[in-house]
Amino acid sequence: MRRKLVLSAVFFSLCLLVSGQLIAQIPLKYGASREGKRTDAAMQRWRENRFGQFIHFGLYSLAGGHWNGKYVEGAAEWIKGNARISDEDYEALTRQFVLPEFDAREWARIAKEMGVKYSVITTKHHEGFCLWPSEYTDYDVSRTPFGRDLLKEYVDAYTQEGIDVYFYYSIIDWNHPDWRSRVETVEDSLAFFRYCDFMNKQITELMTRYPEVKGFWFDGTWDKSVVKFGKITWDIEQLMHRLNPGIICGSRLRVDEKGARHFDTNGKLMGDYEQGWERSLPEKAPQNDWECVMTIPENQWGYQADWRGHIKSATEIIEMLAAATSMNGNFVLNFGPKGDGSLREEEKQMARKVGKWMQLNGEAIYGCVQAPLKPQKWGYYTRHRDNGFVYMVVCYQPVSGMLKVVLPTGSVIENCVVLGKEGMELKPEKSTKNEFVIPAPEVKDGFPYVIRLKLKEGDSVGNYVAPKV
Ligand SMILES: C[C@@H]1O/C(=N\OC(=O)Nc2ccccc2)[C@@H](O)[C@H](O)[C@@H]1O
């Protein structure tokens, strides 16, 4: 009998362990450096920004996804490898880096028009070319006909427009002689640690030359060299916090000493937000802060002259932004400027359409969080963190003409209007004890619309525990 009890206890614990309910905590030196959501003002600002822009710009922008007159398959910013371009031929692009149409103030104006509150720029992508005059390499803007400090012009122009700036920095550096994708020999180790020293110097340079930077968006931490020496990513995090304790950094930087990425071996998030949502959205709200980065075509971050496949419409982008906000996440839309420094027409169009929508409906996005209400098929609920309104972002117009809403028992809808038509109140009908139907307004422009609900005082939507869905 006793043996049976012991065996079933062991079996039960194993099931829990396997199901992840009970991760046996092991001591980690280079695991998560902090736990739980940050509550400081800098992070709260990041949360309230909600909508951001990504800018992928580098030597790859000159190639535009084509080489020797031919379209090159794959992501345009990976063209060096995709087209098997020699180091010499690729480096020759620096002599074409003239940027006759580059105007950071125009980029910033268009970002402002689109309604983004922050912007992330590739200071150095995997190619290793730096958009600022770095003391630690010649492979940068200062050795090109353009010659100017592009990063400074970007930082000044965006800051002038009131848009927070963030720096993308690739750990992978195909140009640097000491970069190693794997470390197998003593020589590899010596080179790789020289590279880490170079990297720490560049990160320090970026944070001291451009103190406006609010955070870093690290990439390229999947290679064996980084996974094997996770401590280097701990060191980078410690370095950044020494230089600016409020700096914000996502989970993609970090690797613990066991090789675990994003979440350490004990299941704890390493970084200030989940940075794994690339061209995808979660099914339900993650526990942590999180950010989705999205491309307009299927998978092109750098400039590709010939977009193929499905190109997302402004309506699709707006729905993704609303979905992200409804799950407490940020949404960052990518632009890949052309090799002459100008923005492509499709992206300017996108900025105009999304910006027009944001002007009318931004209050349902900025500073908003998940409204814990039963999800409905017509779209997404958001809730402003302190104005008390609940927003319904309607993306799927019901043929019934009726929008169903289930509220906390005893709730009363005091006011119900479509943003932009505040003068015309909608009349919700109470169908059962806590279900209402709202007559759907006519959709004319093919864009989502937003209904704003004012609930009777005392309705605790904030604390309402939505039924398990
Ligand atoms: C934002 C993108 O980030 C990248 N890579 O991201 C990933 O590798 N993402 C990833 C990796 C494994 C699983 C899921 C996503 C880069 O290679 C790409 O050029 C672009 O800058």
Side-chain angles (χ1 to χ4, degrees):
M1 179 58 184
R2 182 177 154 69
R3 189 168 181 286
K4 263 191 176 174
L5 269 176
V6 169
L7 280 175
S8 50
V10 167
F11 176 69
F12 177 68
S13 314
L14 275 174
C15 291
L16 276 177
L17 195 57
V18 167
S19 69
Q21 302 302 319
L22 180 78
I23 298 179
Q25 303 292 295
I26 59 168
L28 287 170
K29 277 185 77 177
Y30 306 118
S33 53
R34 42 169 296 285
E35 277 193 58
K37 287 187 174 182
R38 276 177 52 172
T39 54
D40 57 291
M43 193 68 200
Q44 186 54 24
R45 183 184 173 101
W46 178 90
R47 268 184 212 107
E48 297 190 1
N49 284 347
R50 280 293 176 242
F51 186 24
Q53 175 196 46
F54 219 149
I55 296 244
H56 274 71
F57 192 64
L59 294 179
Y60 46 78
S61 310
L62 291 160
H66 290 66
W67 199 253
N68 296 331
K70 289 204 191 74
Y71 177 90
V72 177
E73 288 294 337
E77 70 283 359
W78 279 71
I79 193 166
K80 184 174 189 290
N82 294 340
R84 293 181 175 67
I85 302 168
S86 69
D87 292 351
E88 189 189 357
D89 288 348
Y90 196 80
E91 191 163 352
L93 289 170
T94 53
R95 289 188 284 284
Q96 296 173 40
F97 201 77
V98 183
L99 313 190
E101 301 304 323
F102 173 72
D103 178 355
R105 288 160 310 168
E106 177 65 0
W107 286 14
R109 187 190 66 72
I110 288 173
K112 182 79 174 185
E113 179 183 10
M114 183 156 76
V116 299
K117 296 286 188 185
Y118 69 111
S119 180
V120 185
I121 190 167
T122 51
T123 61
K124 184 190 85 166
H125 203 263
H126 310 331
E127 64 180 9
F129 179 73
C130 302
L131 296 186
W132 80 99
S134 173
E135 206 179 311
Y136 306 102
T137 177
D138 290 344
Y139 204 45
D140 67 38
V141 281
S142 64
R143 273 40 168 217
T144 68
F146 174 73
R148 304 190 326 248
D149 183 346
L150 188 148
L151 191 56
K152 174 96 176 95
E153 293 181 27
Y154 161 86
V155 168
D156 290 349
Y158 276 71
T159 303
Q160 183 72 30
E161 289 286 359
I163 299 172
D164 290 345
V165 295
Y166 286 72
F167 291 165
Y168 168 110
Y169 184 88
S170 173
I171 306 276
I172 290 175
D173 185 325
W174 297 326
N175 172 71
H176 197 287
D178 288 333
W179 163 254
R180 294 288 183 281
S181 59
R182 56 173 55 132
V183 173
E184 283 159 352
T185 65
V186 171
E187 196 283 329
D188 284 344
S189 306
L190 294 172
F192 187 62
F193 292 119
R194 281 195 304 270
Y195 176 73
C196 291
D197 180 52
F198 158 79
M199 219 173 16
N200 287 332
K201 283 173 176 152
Q202 282 208 317
I203 293 164
T204 303
E205 186 176 44
L206 285 168
M207 293 186 74
T208 46
R209 284 178 64 97
Y210 313 99
E212 301 89 340
V213 66
K214 297 290 184 295
F216 276 77
W217 208 97
F218 285 98
D219 194 18
T221 51
W222 52 80
D223 276 346
K224 286 191 169 54
S225 51
V226 182
V227 173
K228 185 173 181 176
F229 296 103
K231 178 180 179 298
I232 66 165
T233 66
W234 167 275
D235 292 343
I236 289 172
E237 187 181 64
Q238 297 299 309
L239 166 67
M240 291 196 294
H241 287 158
R242 279 197 302 277
L243 293 168
N244 173 1
I247 200 83
I248 292 172
C249 182
S251 60
R252 196 175 274 196
L253 165 65
R254 296 280 281 100
V255 186
D256 76 5
E257 61 262 44
K258 306 284 184 195
R261 295 182 60 218
H262 292 275
F263 291 86
D264 71 17
T265 307
N266 293 329
K268 296 193 171 73
L269 184 70
M270 295 187 282
D272 301 314
Y273 61 90
E274 287 184 27
Q275 196 184 349
W277 301 99
E278 187 202 302
R279 293 180 294 119
S280 69
L281 286 164
E283 291 288 309
K284 58 183 183 139
Q287 286 305 311
N288 303 294
D289 286 306
W290 62 279
E291 176 192 77
C292 163
V293 289
M294 187 56 68
T295 49
I296 297 174
E298 177 64 32
N299 182 16
Q300 292 295 343
W301 300 90
Y303 176 60
Q304 164 51 275
D306 175 6
W307 273 354
R308 293 183 178 178
H310 178 64
I311 311 302
K312 297 173 194 77
S313 66
T315 299
E316 289 176 282
I317 295 299
I318 289 164
E319 177 179 353
M320 292 179 191
L321 172 60
T325 304
S326 77
M327 293 187 279
N328 293 320
N330 284 8
F331 183 77
V332 178
L333 183 63
N334 183 70
F335 277 24
K338 296 163 68 171
D340 65 2
S342 67
L343 292 182
R344 69 188 302 154
E345 206 40 50
E346 298 93 326
E347 291 171 352
K348 290 194 282 193
Q349 275 286 354
M350 177 64 77
R352 267 192 285 278
K353 291 176 179 173
V354 173
K356 188 164 170 253
W357 190 88
M358 288 300 284
Q359 274 203 315
L360 189 62
N361 302 292
E363 69 176 272
I365 303 294
Y366 302 129
C368 285
V369 295
Q370 181 183 33
L373 296 176
K374 186 172 186 295
Q376 300 294 336
K377 292 185 171 61
W378 41 256
Y380 309 91
Y381 285 113
T382 67
R383 172 170 63 87
H384 194 275
R385 83 192 175 298
D386 57 24
N387 74 9
F389 286 129
V390 168
Y391 298 95
M392 299 165 56
V393 185
V394 181
C395 301
Y396 298 90
Q397 185 76 338
V399 285
S400 67
M402 288 295 162
L403 297 163
K404 183 177 163 188
V405 168
V406 178
L407 293 175
T409 309
S411 294
V412 171
I413 299 176
E414 255 182 359
N415 181 270
C416 175
V417 294
V418 176
L419 293 186
K421 299 182 182 123
E422 283 78 353
M424 188 190 77
E425 259 200 79
L426 300 176
K427 297 292 175 215
E429 297 160 32
K430 205 168 162 41
S431 63
T432 65
K433 60 181 181 322
N434 59 337
E435 284 191 12
F436 298 78
V437 283
I438 298 172
E442 209 184 325
V443 177
K444 293 202 181 74
D445 60 4
F447 281 90
Y449 57 87
V450 177
I451 290 175
R452 185 177 67 201
L453 300 177
K454 183 84 183 106
L455 300 180
K456 180 175 68 61
E457 275 309 307
D459 288 319
S460 55
V461 167
N463 310 317
Y464 175 62
V465 179
K468 281 245 177 293
V469 288

